[in-house]
Amino acid sequence: MIQGILLAAGSGSRFGGGKLLHPLPSGEAVGMVSYRNLRNALPDTLVVVREGDEALRELFEKEGAEVLVCEDAHEGMSRSLIRAIRETADADGWLCALGDMPFVLPATLRKLTARLSGGSPIVIPAYAGTHGNPVGFNRRYREE
């Protein structure tokens, strides 16, 4: 079982705050589209939000998402990732997507998931020779 993790606990400070609640031209929030795309590819998806971000937490919960609050998210993205992995320690691997990437298509997410399920230890997408997100890794790297 590959676990989807949507990292949505950043403060969006460079954006001026509230980035994941910002509406796209469709009217949907950036974070919600990112979540739906990941959930479309991986039904077992967990969303990590920072403590105190009630509006975002409520938005995801209304959608039926499993939401995990990360109390120390202010210390950096790794804290959210560690929290999510500990919460889902029985997974065979994790695909970690960013909440501010609503244009990563479910087809791309499914390809990465298939490679993880097929035994690839680490998956990283690339476009025009540049590596990007989301990334995934097999459970053998859990402790690292």
Side-chain angles (χ1 to χ4, degrees):
M1 179 206 57
I2 304 301
Q3 176 70 50
I5 298 172
L6 185 71
L7 298 171
S11 65
S13 58
R14 289 179 300 201
F15 186 78
K19 175 170 51 172
L20 300 186
L21 294 171
H22 188 77
L24 294 166
S26 67
E28 295 176 289
V30 168
M32 185 54 61
V33 174
S34 298
Y35 168 70
R36 287 177 179 156
N37 288 342
L38 183 58
R39 186 192 62 200
N40 184 294
L42 273 167
D44 290 317
T45 291
L46 175 69
V47 180
V48 185
V49 299
R50 73 180 178 284
E51 187 174 48
D53 196 343
E54 297 306 311
L56 190 60
R57 181 185 57 77
E58 289 173 10
L59 179 71
F60 285 123
E61 286 177 347
K62 270 187 177 176
E63 184 74 10
E66 181 180 351
V67 178
L68 180 65
V69 176
C70 184
E71 295 81 9
D72 57 355
H74 62 279
E75 293 183 28
M77 188 185 304
S78 65
R79 303 311 304 170
S80 297
L81 185 56
I82 289 167
R83 179 84 168 85
I85 291 168
R86 285 182 179 156
E87 186 72 19
T88 60
D90 60 335
D92 295 321
W94 297 266
L95 186 64
C96 308
L98 304 179
D100 64 354
M101 296 186 74
F103 302 116
V104 177
L105 299 175
T108 301
L109 298 163
R110 281 192 286 276
K111 284 180 187 177
L112 293 167
T113 301
R115 289 195 175 150
L116 273 177
S117 295
S120 292
I122 296 174
V123 295
I124 304 169
Y127 177 77
T130 302
H131 290 118
N133 283 295
V135 298
F137 58 96
N138 184 284
R139 73 177 291 108
R140 70 177 162 183
Y141 293 108
R142 184 181 68 204
E143 296 307 314
E144 293 177 48

